[in-house]
Amino acid sequence: MTDDSLPTERDHISAFEKIRRVNAAGNEYWTSRDLAGVLGYADYRNFEKVVHKAETACFNSGQRIEDHFVDVTEMVRIGSGAEREIATVYLSRYACYLIVQNADPSKPVVAVGQTYFAVQTRRQELTDQGIASEDDLRLQLRADMKEFNKKLASTAKRAGVVQPVDYAIFQNHGYQGLYGGLTMQDIHRRKGLKKSQNILDHMGSEELAANAFRATQAESKIRREGITGKDKANRAHREVGTKVRQTIKEIGGTMPEHLPTPDTSAKQLESKRKKLAAGKPAKKPSTKKRNDGKS
């Protein structure tokens, strides 16, 4: 039996939207005071340390801090109708993303915030770049996954996952966490793919986004916690995959193994784009039956 009085991940995500503000120019922003409350920081001074870490991360990423963190003074009402000034920070979506990445990981809402702002930030980036269609999203996210997997492989190698067979086992642990126990081979089989085909090339944007979050957070966890040894790295990867799956479930999303497999692979889409750019006719996609997400 569950306690209905306890906040769920769905409630937390609603809370992130509820505290979102829009200025006169139509630009969205959050305030550090509001975000501190949602993330469970009773003492704002402790949250200020997290904000400062996020500002450093912003600078190190090559972004201008003032574009994402704006120090302001607000008036708040106190007893007897009086008001007093308090310092706060106006935050962009990217700033919020950096903050939750540096917040206390023991707080359940922080993990949800990481998922929420990671997905929303990436979606906004793609929209800003004029990438809106499903095919465009797939191609961009597939390209992202190549880079994410390179970083993950490098970090795993430093942790002791050196041999190719060990890395395959390491990757399987991540997939098993995210796909409810299914291995990479199981996913490959469910999608009805040939031996030479890569499962990532046959994922829609939603499934790719879930895997992108798994890969980036596994890399971050192993590096941040200084994890060493194959067994510990495998366990960490599976834990991250399981957490991403849990979050998808709590917000009412579709489990990745039940998402439909696109008729056209990412490689075919890329080839089609290149041929169209060169003025050549593109081949029609294969009509071979794929997983419709119901199996």
Side-chain angles (χ1 to χ4, degrees), residues 147-159 161-162 167 170-171 215 219:
E147 296 304 314
F148 296 156
N149 274 334
K150 284 180 184 178
K151 289 186 65 176
L152 180 59
S154 178
T155 298
K157 186 175 182 178
R158 288 195 295 271
V161 183
V162 179
Y167 186 70
F170 169 77
Q171 281 285 49
E219 189 279 330

Side-chain angles (χ1 to χ4, degrees), residues 190 257-259 291-295:
R190 284 174 66 91
E257 67 272 18
H258 295 309
L259 290 168
N291 172 26
D292 61 2
K294 296 179 181 179
S295 61

Side-chain angles (χ1 to χ4, degrees), residues 258-273:
H258 295 309
L259 290 168
T261 298
D263 291 328
T264 306
S265 73
K267 284 187 176 181
Q268 288 174 316
L269 285 177
E270 194 169 8
S271 176
K272 179 180 178 181
R273 295 288 173 89

